[in-house]
Amino acid sequence: MLPILFVGHGSPMNAIEDNRFVATFRDLTKTFRKPKAILCISAHWYTEGTWVTAMEHPRTIHDFGGFPKELYAINYPAPGNRALAEHVRALLAPHAVGFDLEWGLDHGTWTVLKHMYPNADVPVVQLSIDYNKPGVYHFELGKKLRKLRDEEVLVMGSGNLVHNLGLIDFQNYEKEDYGFDWAKEARETLNNLLLSGGIESLVQFEKLSDAVQLAIPTPEHYLPLLYVLGMKDAKERIELFNDVLVAGSLSMTGLKIG
């Protein structure tokens, strides 16, 4: 059975930088066999309703602005997988899931997979996040996707557990593991819940401390975690990686289950 991943994808610049975060992305692939396909739930496909990409050749989406030209020149030509899209829709029934032929791979997906599978030779499908639904809905969808782990499909949630761009400190972006006091508190709270099995509290994150609410001012970067937790077997351990704070108000924390 393949593991499941949540990755803190951070800045799009990670696509062209060689730093410790992307080194970890590369190293992760050495710890499990190569999947037949990948399903990614990215913070950057936040939609009304639930959709799955079903095109043969998903485009590389440069959904950001103000970065160097070389970043916009990157193409990640991984194929799609219509059969997987159909299978995901069947697994999530009776919830309505639409087929999407326009979206592609956003930077929450390709900036990470570029390092994990640089040859772009593993088919990739994205599942969107319905912004009308509460945390428990996304957690329950994750439960329905568990079967994929036995079918050599790697499921990856991509976001950031602490993600408050409105309070980011760009002047200290390069500072090592730099976070505001509230960000440190939020990271500790969320990490402790992850490692102690506090799933119910993580699903009902709106009831957590003021520090966590500052860390999650909007939920799109957090919700991919709930899909991953929904796929977790009760006895499986969670391993954290890239567990550092960046620019005061972001965390790169990732986790591997299985």
Side-chain angles (χ1 to χ4, degrees):
M1 187 168 65
L2 283 175
I4 38 180
L5 303 175
F6 174 85
V7 296
H9 64 250
S11 168
M13 287 296 291
N14 287 323
I16 57 176
E17 293 180 348
D18 190 7
N19 54 41
R20 64 175 179 168
F21 306 130
V22 302
T24 301
F25 297 155
R26 289 193 296 266
D27 289 344
L28 276 172
T29 61
K30 301 173 185 177
T31 65
F32 52 86
R33 67 186 179 278
K34 191 173 183 178
K36 289 183 177 178
I38 297 168
L39 177 68
C40 186
I41 302 100
S42 166
H44 293 281
W45 199 20
Y46 202 42
T47 60
E48 184 170 8
T50 302
W51 299 83
V52 62
T53 56
M55 68 286 287
E56 185 177 354
H57 300 290
R59 64 191 176 102
T60 302
I61 304 173
H62 301 89
D63 50 335
F64 42 75
F67 290 92
K69 291 182 179 179
E70 61 182 310
L71 190 55
Y72 298 91
I74 293 177
N75 180 46
Y76 187 75
N81 188 321
R82 175 77 181 209
L84 176 57
E86 292 174 350
H87 186 38
V88 167
R89 184 161 74 169
L91 289 174
L92 295 183
H95 299 289
V97 179
F99 285 155
D100 178 89
L101 301 175
E102 302 293 333
W103 184 247
L105 306 180
D106 60 56
H107 83 266
T109 297
W110 67 262
T111 63
V112 177
L113 294 184
K114 176 181 178 294
H115 299 289
M116 294 178 66
Y117 300 104
N119 295 327
D121 54 354
V122 181
V124 183
V125 167
Q126 280 199 210
L127 180 68
S128 78
I129 302 169
D130 186 348
Y131 55 64
N132 291 313
K133 302 296 186 182
V136 66
Y137 172 85
H138 303 287
F139 179 70
E140 291 298 325
L141 289 195
K143 286 183 178 180
K144 288 176 170 288
L145 296 172
R146 280 180 179 170
K147 187 177 180 182
L148 295 176
R149 299 184 64 188
D150 294 316
E151 299 173 342
E152 298 187 68
V153 176
L154 176 66
V155 179
M156 182 177 79
S158 178
N160 292 97
L161 298 187
V162 177
H163 186 270
N164 192 324
L165 292 184
L167 297 178
I168 195 168
D169 182 358
F170 286 107
Q171 292 185 338
N172 286 291
Y173 195 87
E174 300 297 329
K175 196 170 181 179
E176 184 80 7
D177 199 11
Y178 170 65
F180 301 127
D181 287 344
W182 61 262
K184 294 177 181 177
E185 179 185 337
R187 177 179 64 171
E188 182 177 6
T189 297
L190 295 172
N191 286 359
N192 285 343
L193 288 170
L194 285 166
L195 297 177
S196 65
I199 303 296
E200 183 175 348
S201 294
L202 290 163
V203 171
Q204 300 182 37
F205 60 94
E206 302 95 334
K207 297 180 180 180
L208 295 174
S209 66
D210 289 344
V212 173
Q213 303 317 309
L214 274 173
I216 312 173
T218 56
E220 71 279 358
H221 276 75
Y222 179 84
L223 291 175
L225 170 71
L226 300 187
Y227 287 81
V228 173
L229 294 180
M231 297 180 70
K232 177 182 179 296
D233 287 341
K235 295 182 180 181
E236 287 185 301
R237 293 177 59 249
I238 291 177
E239 301 174 34
L240 301 181
F241 58 86
N242 284 345
D243 186 27
V244 298
L245 294 165
V246 176
S249 63
L250 302 174
S251 72
M252 290 296 294
T253 307
L255 56 99
K256 177 189 172 190
I257 302 173

